[in-house]
């Protein structure tokens, strides 16, 4: 997703989401608001930084807002390891320096092991999952004619996409969403979307890669449009 899309993204909304886009994770890139993603999960490490002030958290602060899956072994979900050239023993591979919950190379009497689960395995830091694939959709307000673009996780249901749209339209809960969908027999029709299903499950196929392979320059014309019809139910914003 290029920068031209990012400028139109809806702000992050509470409560926490099930899925986040890489762009959303990247917004949390400071010591007092530090998120990272790894191995498909999104983690808020702000409290970890607060509990371990000093150089020990410098590597984490340096990668705030980024994906650090390369730090870990996908099978064991532990930190990658290396053979220490000094001791010839297997040690965690830490190219940016030590991080909390990794024991020191030398034996130390003041090494605190009371932390329990290391932070990279502690679910209390996990705030959701990283989307494996994001896509751009256009939201067309049929009542006002206003149109907005949103980058959304492909795993989200229409109801979850509506939650994102609430940041741009506070009455979004009062709208019915319709789109051109492709049925099982390949027939395209204009239908109301099932709020509990994803775009793909509703028949709104993601054809971005196809158009990119064809080197279509003006992708805007091929972005799926979700038409929002106002229900006039007097929903209070």
């Amino acid at each position: 997703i290029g920068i031209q899309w990012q400028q139109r993204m809806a702000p992050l909304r509470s409560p926490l989401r099930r899925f986040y886009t890489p762009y959303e994770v990247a917004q949390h890139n400071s010591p007092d608001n530090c998120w990272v993603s790894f191995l498909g999960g999104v983690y808020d490490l702000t409290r970890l930084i607060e509990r371990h002030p000093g150089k020990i958290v410098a590597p984490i602060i340096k990668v705030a807002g980024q994906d650090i899956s390369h730090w870990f072994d996908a099978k064991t979900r532990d930190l990658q390891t290396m053979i220490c050239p000094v001791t010839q023993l297997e040690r965690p591979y830490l190219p940016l320096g030590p991080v909390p919950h990794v024991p020191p190379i030398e034996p130390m009497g003041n090494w605190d092991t009371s932390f329990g689960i290391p932070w990279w395995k502690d679910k209390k830091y996990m705030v959701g999952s990283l989307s494996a694939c994001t896509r751009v959709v256009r939201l067309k307000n049929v009542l006002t004619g206003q149109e907005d673009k949103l980058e959304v996780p492909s795993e989200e249901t229409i109801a979850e996409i509506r939650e994102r749209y609430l940041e741009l339209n506070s009455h979004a809960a009062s709208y019915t969403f319709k789109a051109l969908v492709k049925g099982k027999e390949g027939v395209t029709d204009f239908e109301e979307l099932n709020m509990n299903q994803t775009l793909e499950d509703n028949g709104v196929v993601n054809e971005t890669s196809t158009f990119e392979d064809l080197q279509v320059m003006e992708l805007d014309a091929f972005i799926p449009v979700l038409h929002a019809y106002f229900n006039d139910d007097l929903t209070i914003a």
Side-chain angles (χ1 to χ4, degrees):
I1 301 301
I3 293 177
Q4 65 269 32
W5 304 129
Q6 296 177 2
Q7 294 172 348
R8 304 184 182 102
M9 296 301 139
L12 194 60
R13 179 181 172 86
S14 293
L16 298 176
R17 306 190 194 280
R18 283 195 310 137
F19 291 94
Y20 295 91
T21 68
Y23 173 78
E24 289 175 316
V25 176
Q27 305 313 297
H28 302 267
N29 56 10
S30 64
D32 57 354
N33 184 13
C34 177
W35 287 21
V36 296
S37 61
F38 57 88
L39 303 180
V42 177
Y43 298 80
D44 182 354
L45 301 183
T46 308
R47 286 181 296 167
L48 180 72
I49 292 172
E50 292 173 349
R51 292 170 182 168
H52 299 273
K55 293 182 179 180
I56 192 71
V57 291
I60 293 175
I61 294 173
K62 188 173 183 178
V63 298
Q66 301 177 34
D67 186 82
I68 56 171
S69 295
H70 59 284
W71 284 20
F72 302 93
D73 184 306
K75 292 182 179 179
T76 65
R77 303 188 72 86
D78 266 316
L79 290 167
Q80 296 272 18
T81 60
M82 59 171 284
I83 300 300
C84 176
V86 177
T87 65
Q88 296 300 308
L89 298 175
E90 188 177 49
R91 299 287 306 161
Y93 178 59
L94 303 168
L96 297 181
V99 295
H101 303 166
V102 175
I105 297 177
E106 301 287 340
M108 297 181 65
N110 61 350
W111 167 245
D112 184 8
T113 60
S114 64
F115 56 81
I117 304 173
W119 60 264
W120 56 90
K121 288 189 173 182
D122 197 335
K123 295 298 183 182
K124 73 183 178 187
Y125 295 113
M126 190 173 183
V127 294
S129 299
L130 185 70
S131 175
C133 178
T134 65
R135 56 186 300 187
V136 174
V137 294
R138 288 186 286 170
L139 275 294
K140 177 78 172 183
N141 188 328
V142 178
L143 180 65
T144 65
Q146 181 178 346
E147 186 174 295
D148 297 285
K149 288 190 183 78
L150 292 179
E151 181 190 22
V152 300
S154 59
E155 302 91 344
E156 284 192 338
T157 64
I158 305 301
E160 290 172 307
I161 293 174
R162 181 180 61 185
E163 285 296 307
R164 294 174 178 272
Y165 186 46
L166 277 169
E167 290 294 335
L168 303 172
N169 182 345
S170 59
H171 291 280
S174 299
Y175 284 74
T176 295
F177 293 85
K178 299 182 180 181
L180 284 173
V181 302
K182 187 174 292 186
K184 295 181 179 179
E185 298 180 359
V187 179
T188 301
D189 201 2
F190 191 67
E191 297 181 2
E192 181 176 341
L193 300 178
N194 185 327
M195 302 300 290
N196 296 317
Q197 292 183 340
T198 65
L199 288 165
E200 198 79 23
D201 289 340
N202 269 290
V204 184
V205 182
N206 186 2
E207 299 178 309
T208 302
S209 59
T210 301
F211 292 120
E212 288 177 344
D213 290 342
L214 294 172
Q215 297 183 344
V216 176
M217 301 301 295
E218 296 296 330
L219 291 178
D220 269 27
F222 302 99
I223 297 173
V225 182
L226 308 187
H227 298 263
Y229 287 83
F230 188 55
N231 296 326
D232 195 19
D233 62 358
L234 303 179
T235 299
I236 300 175

